[in-house]
Each structure stands twice: as structure tokens, then as C-alpha cells.
Amino acid sequence: MSLTVTPILPKFGAEISGIDITRPLTAEQQRAVIEAQNTWGVTVWRNTGLTDETHIDFSRIFGHIELAPKRAGAKTRLSHRELFDASNLNAEGEITRDPRAIQYRKGDRLWHTDSAFMEQRSSVSLLLAHAVPKEAGETWFADARSAYEDLPEEMKERIEGLEGLNSVWWSRKLAGADIPDEQIANTPLARHPIVHTHKGSGRKSLFIAAHTMDIVGLPSEEGRALIKELIEFATQPQYVFKVKYDVGDMVIWDNLCTMHRGGEFDAENEKRDMRRTTIREGTEPFSRFDDDPFSELFSTVPKVVDAIGVHEKA
């Protein structure tokens, strides 16, 4: 069987069907999936039938799967560390009431790219729906390649070679957490070019979003105004679409050429159980690493938010 590709926007996003991704794929099928992902940036797979285990197995065709952070002694809701818990649930599977976990998740409502705050960037994210609210709860996606291509030439010249400083705590501050700038500045900051060439397609793309705190070499006021301007440009309606989920649906996106944000829903009363695998940039299928950078990063957490709490003890 071959892939069926139905574009969502002319150059961005596609619904994919035609192959059974619950079973091992042939080399030809793997190449077709990766090519579609490189071309469209976001692919939507409906009614996949994936379990936690087959979700993880399928994800390995894209490279090394990163491990979710852990904390000694904390209870875990999910049984596989390859799965990041993107839900509003606590360790017992009930809706979390922990204010720090709720505050942390508010940052997901901002336009962002997964793990841009890590020195080694995350490339592909694969998000599978296990429980969805009756209303809303969509994910919105923005096309950072087409947005870059449409920038005025003077803006392209201005931003060429610039680098951004990225912090997960900065995006949480933007979402309302009371975290002083000075505290964020004393935590690890990941430095990445704000324009790069997307390897899978050869197209240039913006790499900038809510985690980007400052621009190297620019005063904070100027750099942050530039960051805001670029995000607003890239999230204009012509570059954006949203995905509404049913149970079993999966969306795959490339963090190196997109931005995304979670939509609002009644998080106090409705369960939204979403589980994500995340691939490290530049890795080969079935590669193995012994490092655990997420646990190291989240070992010192501002008191007003708790990232690991969302996953393990909320």
C-alpha cells in the first residue's frame, strides 16, 4: 500500500493515510513517511489504532527518542519514559489540581517549538490522542518556512546570522508565572540561530518562538521586540491551521520548520490525555544514548511551576 496525501494548506500540512503504522514498515514505506514529513512539516494521521508500544516503535523511524524527565521517588502515570505526558492529568489519571502543574501547562498555549530550550534540539514530535474533550482542545500549527520566505528582504538581511537565547522558564514567565528575569538568566540558556536551513527540505526557516528570551548581541528591549514581531508575522492566518482530535488520531510535526500552540478547553472538568514521543535532531533510527538531559534541566525548577509534576506527581 502507498501513502495518500491530502494537503491542508498549499505548502503546509497534510492528512496522510494508506498504510498501517501499527505494523513494522518496509524501508520504502519508511522513506515515504519521512519524505512526506519533510515536505509538509505537519502530518495528520486519523484513527491510527496505535498503543503506547506501537506509538514508540513507529516513532523510531525518525531517530533517537528522547526520554521524559524523572524525579527520584515520584509516581509515574505512564509506563514508558519515551512518552512525554502532555495531558491535564495527575499520576492517578485524574484531572490535576496542582497549581504549579497547571501554571506550567499554560506555557503550552503560547506559540512554541518543543524543547528549543535544550542545547540539542528536538526535531520531530509525534502526539497521539488517548482522551479528548468534547469541545476545543485543538492544536494550532504555523508554517515557519513559508513565513521566512515571505519576509521583506530588509528583514531577512537584518536577522541573518542572529542567534536566540532560549529558556523553558521564559515561556512560563510569558504565560504568567512569577519568575524574575535574573533567575532565568542563571539557568541554562540554549543558543540557536533564528534562521537556519531545514535539512529535510533544503528550505530556509525561522526558528524562534515563546522559549526565545533574547537575541545575542542586542539589548533586551530591541531583541524582544524583534522576537515578538517575527512570531506575529509567522502566525498570520495564511500560515496557520488547527487540528481537532478524535481518540486514536496522531499529529506529527517538525519543530525545526514549524511553531505550534495548544488550544483552550475546559481543563478543570474535562480530561485531555495526549502522549508525545520526541526525536532528537540529527540522530539515526534505533540510535541509543545513555544521557538524560531533561531530568538534569528540570532538577532545579522555579517554585511557581513544576514540569515534572505534570508527568509524574501532579
Side-chain angles (χ1 to χ4, degrees), residues 21-32:
I21 59 175
T22 67
R23 304 171 66 87
L25 302 185
T26 66
E28 181 180 0
Q29 288 173 326
Q30 291 184 27
R31 286 193 296 270

Side-chain angles (χ1 to χ4, degrees), residues 67-72 81 84 118 291-301 308 312:
L67 301 181
K70 65 179 180 179
R71 179 180 294 145
R81 283 194 62 205
F84 284 71
M118 301 298 291
D291 59 341
D292 191 7
F294 286 92
S295 290
E296 181 180 352
L297 175 69
F298 288 108
S299 62
T300 55
V301 180
I308 294 179
E312 301 196 15

Side-chain angles (χ1 to χ4, degrees), residues 196-248:
H196 72 123
T197 299
H198 177 250
K199 184 178 179 180
S201 63
R203 296 170 63 190
K204 278 195 167 185
S205 178
L206 293 171
F207 187 75
I208 193 167
H211 298 314
T212 314
M213 177 178 180
D214 286 305
I215 302 295
V216 177
L218 296 184
S220 283
E221 184 176 353
E222 180 183 351
R224 291 173 185 179
L226 177 59
I227 293 165
K228 182 174 183 290
E229 181 179 358
L230 291 172
I231 293 173
E232 289 179 350
F233 186 91
T235 56
Q236 294 178 88
Q238 64 266 35
Y239 305 123
V240 169
F241 69 88
K242 66 179 177 179
V243 175
K244 173 67 175 174
Y245 300 93
D246 289 318
V247 172

Side-chain angles (χ1 to χ4, degrees), residues 43-56:
T43 58
V44 182
W45 304 71
R46 300 293 186 183
N47 192 27
T48 61
L50 291 170
T51 63
D52 284 347
E53 291 74 21
T54 54
H55 178 184
I56 292 167

